[in-house]
Amino acid sequence: MTISEYMEIEHAAPARSVNSGRCLALRCARNVCAAASRRSPEARAVADWLAEHAEALGLPDAAPPEESMPVGTQRRRGVSAEVWDWVGQTLEDAWNSEAAAANTAAERWANAIAARLALDPAEASVFSLALHYRLDQRVENLFDAVSQSRGGRSQLHRDVALIGLLLGEAEAGIEARLMPEAPLLASGLLHLDRDGDLMVLHQLVCLIRRNTPPGADLYDHLLGKAAGDPLPWEAFAHLGREAEVAAEVLRATLAARESGVNILLYGPPGTGKTSFAATLAAHVGARLRPVTEASESGWEPRRHERLAGLLLAQRLAAPGETLLLFDEAEDLFVARTYRDGDLVASSRVFMHRLLERMTLPVIWTANDIGALGPAVLRRMTMCLELKVPNVVTRTRLWRQMATAEGVALPEADAARLARLVPAAPAVASAALRATRLAGGGAETARLIIEGVARAVQGGGLPLPEPEHDADYDPALVNADCDLASLTAGLVRQRAPRAVSFLLAGPPGTGKSVWVRHLAARMGMQVLQKRASDLLNSFLGGTERNIADAFAEARDTGAFLVFDEADSLLLDRADAVRSWEISQVNEMLTWMEQHPLPFACTTNLPARLDRASLRRFLVKVSFDWLTQAQARLAFRRFFGMAPPAGLDGLLTLTPADFALVRRRAAVTGATANQAALLRLLAAECEGRVGGRLQVGFAARAAGDCDAA
């Protein structure tokens, strides 16, 4: 919708031709005449209103006695008998001459809603009065005139005596129908503002002003349609058993029509909360219906609009087959908000009771659960944290979604895309859809996902996750214990799983490669965390990230690997700031409790806290290649005999050979022994030889250190 269209709707002239509005105005005026004395101020108000709106009421020839209508006479009490007779006769003639009301949008909507919500005649009359007050100037002016004559204001306020007078209903009946638990307010059709004024659901007003007739499904018109298709259930397999439990809870809720069932999905933006809600609904065979995700004019909704939408959704959606989706729950659960420039407090008790009494199950999503507060969280039936799936799961998702979109994506390309950026399934689905539309393949998908990744990172690309090295060669790893025997012991049946590793040694000596090889042999996925992933500048942020990493590994059954662990386990004796101690304490606490294998790798073992060394069950030190290993590496990487000078390079690693091979391919020196030797020597410059100790005494080669 354009701004001009929005302004046209918001400031549209009152619908003077709405027959239902004319009928209501005449009915209300006749009720006042029947109940009021000609000497009452209400009589003067009706007489003035009738004279002013005679033409709008279809009475162009109606003229009151001249002496009764001087300017400002509305302040006098009552009217003369002659004028009162004229008022009564004019209203009676107009009422009797009224043709059958046209089938207007206002009338159709009022009837449809009254029928759908089973409103009784008095409730329907109050609703019709509130609706036409917003739509028809004749009704609005009559209400305001009578209200002012009684000392009230020019606004549709909760004056049960006045409303009863206009509608010809008893005050007690109007009072009962404007109670919070009665259908009109409980459904969100009407709500009271802080001044006691009655406000009608504005979405409905805009629909009528656009002359939009009610459809068979009132929900779609008033509260919005669901957008997007659900993803396959397997796309969220990384959520584990919790997702299945949530599905079981919702199935039972729908079957038994239980009340007060709320499922919270929380996590950072982009983790697929809304997509999972759609997938969860499809998985349990329910229809997911959103709650007021746009205002009545297609713009950002305000809090009271979303609350009114939630109340109405409970009445309009079909029980037993519908799940409601309230996206961005922070919009509703705020302690304080601004309205008309004033700070207004929201009622926590009201919101708590609302959660407890929901007649339909609701799926809530939130990025920041801190905005909800503990009292709200305690009232949630389940809370599921959504995280980005690990690289193995993402690879599988890329393949599955590529097949669904008809995009050719080989396994290797899918793995490369999965490592490129940690992203939720919905991001992969959108990227592959764009790839299909562009008629591209893996390279097109890479360009698209890189663009998304760069935007999310604020202009830079995240560091891709390392590949699993299928070419792991144990002959090129110089460790101080027999890694083959250690691996065999850990992969045997009934081998313990709560095993912690400290892998120390210079960069490139094979620490991460070996632990990934071990994880693959154990049938486990690797969850790799770098220090840069966990360190946080906010107080308590690093500790929270550490706890989350251990929790994620536990929930997904992954082999947790901390790279650059010396940044997380610095010696507390050298600490200067309190958080340097607290983050080490957090690591130590989780290291003792974690039920699955995890490893810490470091290039600087001397910096580790002494107490942390006792927490590692297995400690392995990796060193530079031996002369024999270096000669073997030269043959395997370059396919030729090693040069004589190779034995003089004492600080080579397998990574050096891999790097030099790539560099030689660029320079064309792949067959030049001397050039290759120079490149390897350049990699060794500045390195100091000798084995790095990891805080424990040296032992005989072949014996792994185990606590």
Side-chain angles (χ1 to χ4, degrees):
M1 175 182 296
T2 66
I3 292 179
S4 61
E5 290 172 331
Y6 168 76
M7 297 299 292
E8 181 180 351
I9 290 171
E10 285 297 296
H11 301 289
R16 295 179 179 271
S17 62
V18 178
N19 284 0
S20 55
R22 179 180 185 273
C23 286
L24 180 60
L26 290 173
R27 173 191 167 194
C28 291
R30 293 177 74 238
N31 287 334
V32 174
C33 285
S37 164
R38 72 175 180 84
R39 296 182 174 85
S40 67
E42 291 89 348
R44 168 55 61 189
V46 172
D48 288 347
W49 169 81
L50 183 57
E52 181 182 352
H53 291 82
E55 184 175 355
L57 290 166
L59 306 169
D61 299 329
E66 293 181 3
E67 70 275 8
S68 65
M69 290 294 133
V71 176
T73 53
Q74 65 271 20
R75 296 185 179 179
R76 294 168 44 191
R77 294 181 60 84
V79 296
S80 67
E82 182 183 9
V83 171
W84 196 234
D85 288 342
W86 170 82
V87 169
Q89 188 60 50
T90 301
L91 290 174
E92 195 66 24
D93 291 344
W95 182 261
N96 291 332
S97 67
E98 173 70 16
N103 191 23
T104 62
E107 184 183 9
R108 293 197 295 271
W109 272 106
N111 292 338
I113 289 176
R116 181 68 181 83
L117 300 185
L119 301 181
D120 65 30
E123 289 166 341
S125 293
V126 174
F127 175 58
S128 182
L129 176 62
L131 182 60
H132 284 92
Y133 183 90
R134 306 296 171 191
L135 290 168
D136 196 293
Q137 192 172 17
R138 296 164 296 193
V139 176
E140 178 186 1
N141 288 353
L142 177 61
F143 187 98
D144 291 347
V146 178
S147 175
Q148 289 174 349
S149 74
R150 298 161 60 93
R153 299 176 291 112
S154 295
Q155 184 57 270
L156 183 65
H157 49 281
R158 190 186 183 280
D159 183 339
V160 296
L162 173 58
I163 294 173
L165 173 65
L166 290 167
L167 296 178
E169 299 282 352
E171 290 185 29
I174 300 299
E175 179 73 36
R177 285 157 179 83
L178 290 179
M179 295 298 288
E181 64 275 10
L184 289 176
L185 294 180
S187 68
L189 282 174
L190 302 180
H191 76 273
L192 289 172
D193 70 6
R194 59 195 179 100
D195 296 321
D197 294 328
L198 278 169
M199 309 299 293
V200 71
L201 188 71
H202 208 161
Q203 175 76 7
L204 176 58
V205 174
C206 279
L207 288 170
I208 294 173
R209 282 178 174 165
R210 297 187 193 115
N211 202 31
T212 303
D217 192 338
L218 299 182
Y219 195 110
D220 283 351
H221 279 304
L222 294 173
L223 299 172
K225 300 179 181 179
D229 297 323
L231 296 173
W233 181 250
E234 296 74 21
F236 296 94
H238 60 282
L239 298 181
R241 174 62 180 156
E242 275 188 296
E244 285 292 352
V245 172
E248 292 166 5
V249 168
L250 290 175
R251 286 194 191 96
T253 299
L254 293 168
R257 299 194 178 184
E258 293 273 351
S259 61
V261 174
N262 300 277
I263 306 292
L264 174 64
L265 309 178
Y266 68 96
T271 48
K273 299 181 290 295
T274 305
S275 296
F276 177 62
T279 301
L280 180 59
H283 189 61
V284 301
R287 183 175 185 181
L288 186 69
R289 312 208 72 161
V291 175
T292 316
E293 296 181 351
S295 73
E296 65 278 356
S297 304
W299 292 53
E300 180 182 5
R302 291 170 289 181
R303 179 183 181 275
H304 77 270
E305 291 175 311
R306 300 211 71 190
L307 176 57
L310 180 62
L311 295 173
L312 185 58
Q314 300 285 313
R315 304 297 180 109
L316 292 182
E321 59 187 58
T322 306
L323 299 178
L324 300 181
L325 171 64
F326 199 104
D327 225 344
E328 307 292 345
E330 297 94 332
D331 287 353
L332 194 61
F333 296 105
V334 290
R336 302 174 75 82
T337 187
Y338 283 93
R339 187 184 301 163
D340 300 328
D342 297 325
L343 192 61
V344 181
S346 305
S347 171
R348 295 180 181 178
V349 172
F350 175 81
M351 297 309 304
H352 297 165
R353 297 297 173 264
L354 180 65
L355 283 174
E356 295 166 356
R357 297 168 183 168
M358 286 289 178
T359 57
L360 295 179
V362 183
I363 299 177
W364 307 81
T365 75
N367 300 327
D368 178 17
I369 58 173
L372 276 59
V376 169
L377 296 177
R378 285 196 297 269
R379 287 168 171 81
M380 293 292 169
T381 310
M382 283 190 69
C383 297
L384 280 75
E385 183 178 13
L386 267 74
K387 299 178 180 179
V388 175
N390 58 44
V391 67
V392 175
T393 303
R394 295 200 302 272
T395 300
R396 186 181 70 250
L397 290 177
W398 275 101
R399 290 276 288 167
Q400 291 174 346
M401 294 178 185
T403 301
E405 290 287 350
V407 175
L409 191 66
E411 180 75 25
D413 290 325
R416 183 162 58 95
L417 290 172
R419 288 191 300 273
L420 180 64
V421 56
V427 176
S429 178
L432 286 167
R433 179 172 181 267
T435 302
R436 172 179 59 79
L437 293 173
E443 184 60 23
T444 303
R446 182 190 65 79
L447 291 173
I448 293 170
I449 197 63
E450 276 188 357
V452 174
R454 188 176 290 109
V456 170
Q457 294 293 319
L461 280 174
L463 186 65
E465 295 188 19
E467 300 185 40
H468 172 66
D469 193 343
D471 297 326
Y472 167 70
D473 189 346
L476 299 181
V477 176
N478 183 17
D480 62 351
C481 72
D482 187 346
L483 294 181
S485 298
L486 177 59
T487 301
L490 292 169
V491 300
R492 73 181 191 279
Q493 287 187 349
R494 299 187 182 86
R497 286 273 169 155
V499 182
S500 53
F501 300 85
L502 175 60
L503 311 178
T509 51
K511 303 182 294 297
S512 297
V513 173
W514 176 75
V515 77
R516 286 179 171 276
H517 166 74
L518 173 62
R521 290 287 309 277
M522 297 176 73
M524 301 180 69
Q525 300 168 358
V526 172
L527 175 62
Q528 184 164 348
K529 297 292 182 180
R530 307 173 185 87
S532 58
D533 297 331
L534 304 176
L535 295 175
N536 190 295
S537 59
F538 293 101
L539 185 63
T542 301
E543 291 86 338
R544 169 63 188 274
N545 291 340
I546 291 170
D548 286 348
F550 278 101
E552 182 179 356
R554 183 188 64 242
D555 294 343
T556 59
F559 195 127
L560 181 59
V561 178
F562 291 103
D563 279 340
E564 309 159 20
D566 46 278
S567 298
L568 303 170
L569 290 170
L570 286 170
D571 195 335
R572 287 170 291 182
D574 299 328
V576 176
R577 304 171 184 84
S578 60
W579 55 263
E580 294 175 323
I581 297 176
S582 61
Q583 77 177 35
V584 175
N585 292 339
E586 187 75 19
M587 277 288 293
L588 296 179
T589 300
W590 282 101
M591 288 165 64
E592 291 179 334
Q593 300 175 358
H594 194 56
L596 296 173
F598 74 93
C600 291
T601 71
T602 179
N603 306 327
L604 303 169
R607 298 179 60 188
L608 295 177
D609 187 87
R610 309 304 295 177
S612 70
L613 298 175
R614 296 193 298 271
R615 265 68 171 192
F616 292 105
L617 189 63
V618 178
K619 308 183 193 75
V620 181
S621 182
F622 291 72
D623 203 356
W624 316 108
L625 294 174
T626 65
Q627 291 178 336
Q629 286 176 319
R631 290 193 292 270
L632 177 62
F634 199 96
R635 290 189 179 91
R636 292 193 175 178
F637 278 89
F638 305 122
M640 64 181 72
L646 185 65
D647 287 349
L649 302 180
L650 302 179
T651 56
L652 287 170
T653 69
D656 294 332
F657 284 90
L659 178 63
V660 166
R661 180 171 60 182
R662 293 197 299 272
R663 187 172 295 163
V666 173
T667 61
T670 53
N672 188 324
Q673 257 190 352
L676 294 173
L677 184 61
R678 285 195 300 271
L679 290 174
L680 290 170
E683 293 302 314
C684 295
E685 286 183 6
R687 293 176 179 171
V688 178
R691 180 178 298 278
L692 295 175
Q693 296 301 319
V694 292
F696 41 88
R699 65 273 190 193
D703 295 329
C704 289
D705 185 74

